[in-house]
Amino acid sequence: MLERIRIVLIGTSHPGNIGAVARAMHNMGLADLRLVAPRCEVITQESISRASGADHLLHSAQVVETLEEAVADATLAVGASARSRTLPWPMLTPRELGGRLSDECRADSARVALVFGREDSGLTNAELQRCHAHVHIPTNADFSSLNLAAAVQVVAYECRLAWLDGQQSAPSESDADTEAELATHEELERYFEHLERTLITIDFHDPDKPRQLMARLRRLYLRARVEKMEMGILRGVLTATEKAAADKAR
Ligand code: SAH
């Protein structure tokens, strides 16, 4: 299960924090680190010293340009946020997230991406809306923002507790073979692009007056945990809709 969990850091600006994240991850048995457009050097004296012996994670960390690249294969993406946002999204505590992980990680193809934001400004709304759910570490409401590596530590600890729980309980009957494969993040993003194009074609959606329509639809489809086969049906519906609109226009 721990091998299927990835930590994604977006736009990190302090090498010391990246080092401390590597240490927190290695302490808890996580190894998959991806850095999206870091705003600092990754391997520095400070990051190596803060990694305290977990610097192999700094060397194996994949550096990518966009969140999409970091989570393309993810079947569940969860954004860690210190603040609540304008459009409410499914919210989890780290413990509730841990409780879902053994189920979420059962299939061989399962990948869980835990996404953390910038030290100064966190995650943008667009980034948060690319996640199925948000995790918030309950804090003093007047002082809610943890240091980045401290936030990773708390969430990674709950992942480990959940994994330890799973080690103790007997393997369940519902194994990977019987679980339907979920659509990946990349497949969902392609669907959202197709959906938006179609809704514009049929004059349901005006990009100049968006009224959060796409964000609301994202929330709906992400909540549904769409399976690969269902994704095929939904794409088919859009293609047929586009064709019907084109035939009518002729
Ligand atoms: N000043 C930023 C917070 C940056 S802290 C803001 O107001 O959004 C850096 C990152 O650590 C955040 O983007 C988030 O991913 C994580 N983090 C910090 N505090 C958190 C909390 N209470 N719950 C969940 N994640 C938190």
Side-chain angles (χ1 to χ4, degrees), residues 94-103 158 162:
R95 188 138 308 167
E96 288 164 344
L97 171 65
R100 279 179 59 171
L101 285 177
S102 64
D103 270 356
E158 291 295 340

Side-chain angles (χ1 to χ4, degrees), residues 76 78 92-101 112 114 135 155 159:
L76 177 72
V78 179
L92 300 167
T93 63
R95 188 138 308 167
E96 288 164 344
L97 171 65
R100 279 179 59 171
L101 285 177
V112 175
L114 306 175
V135 60
V155 175
C159 295

Side-chain angles (χ1 to χ4, degrees), residues 1-238:
M1 173 184 129
L2 296 177
E3 284 163 14
R4 294 177 184 166
I5 299 175
R6 175 181 308 153
I7 299 292
V8 178
L9 306 182
I10 301 191
T12 312
S13 52
H14 297 296
N17 280 338
I18 302 181
V21 165
R23 178 183 190 170
M25 288 175 64
H26 193 40
N27 280 146
M28 296 300 128
L30 299 179
D32 186 355
L33 174 61
R34 293 214 182 162
L35 305 168
V36 178
R39 291 178 290 163
C40 62
E41 291 271 324
V42 175
I43 315 269
T44 69
Q45 263 188 349
E46 199 189 351
S47 68
I48 291 171
S49 117
R50 293 285 301 279
S52 304
D55 44 303
H56 56 289
L57 261 71
L58 299 175
H59 293 283
S60 65
Q62 276 194 34
V63 179
V64 294
E65 273 311 303
T66 62
L67 174 60
E68 264 60 54
E69 290 167 79
V71 300
D73 59 342
T75 44
L76 177 72
V78 179
S81 175
R83 289 177 287 157
S84 69
R85 304 291 166 140
T86 38
L87 187 63
W89 218 254
M91 284 295 292
L92 300 167
T93 63
R95 188 138 308 167
E96 288 164 344
L97 171 65
R100 279 179 59 171
L101 285 177
S102 64
D103 270 356
E104 289 291 343
C105 291
R106 194 161 287 144
D108 285 341
S109 59
R111 291 290 174 279
V112 175
L114 306 175
V115 185
F116 294 81
R118 301 156 189 83
E119 291 94 334
D120 48 357
S121 56
L123 294 168
T124 64
N125 284 337
E127 286 159 353
L128 283 164
Q129 286 171 6
R130 283 177 150 63
C131 297
H132 292 88
H134 299 162
V135 60
H136 174 71
I137 301 163
T139 43
N140 177 353
D142 300 328
F143 195 64
S144 65
S145 165
L146 275 75
N147 163 267
L148 172 62
V152 171
Q153 182 74 79
V154 171
V155 175
Y157 172 63
E158 291 295 340
C159 295
R160 186 162 190 87
L161 285 190
W163 175 71
L164 286 171
D165 258 4
Q167 298 289 95
Q168 279 153 19
S169 52
S172 77
E173 282 300 301
S174 65
D175 58 12
D177 300 344
T178 58
E179 300 270 319
E181 260 192 75
L182 292 175
T184 64
H185 186 273
E186 188 178 24
E187 288 161 345
L188 280 158
E189 287 306 313
R190 264 192 269 131
Y191 175 71
F192 291 136
E193 281 165 25
H194 193 175
L195 178 63
E196 183 162 23
R197 262 197 333 268
T198 308
L199 295 181
I200 292 171
T201 306
I202 62 171
D203 286 332
F204 186 82
H205 171 46
D206 178 355
D208 296 329
K209 287 193 218 108
R211 296 205 182 89
Q212 293 205 309
L213 174 70
M214 291 315 297
R216 288 178 198 282
L217 288 171
R218 265 177 184 282
R219 185 173 57 173
L220 165 67
Y221 285 107
L222 289 170
R223 193 169 64 221
R225 309 309 310 284
V226 179
E227 295 170 7
K228 273 191 196 302
M229 183 268 296
E230 294 166 332
M231 191 87 274
I233 298 174
L234 290 171
R235 290 291 293 263
V237 170
L238 292 183

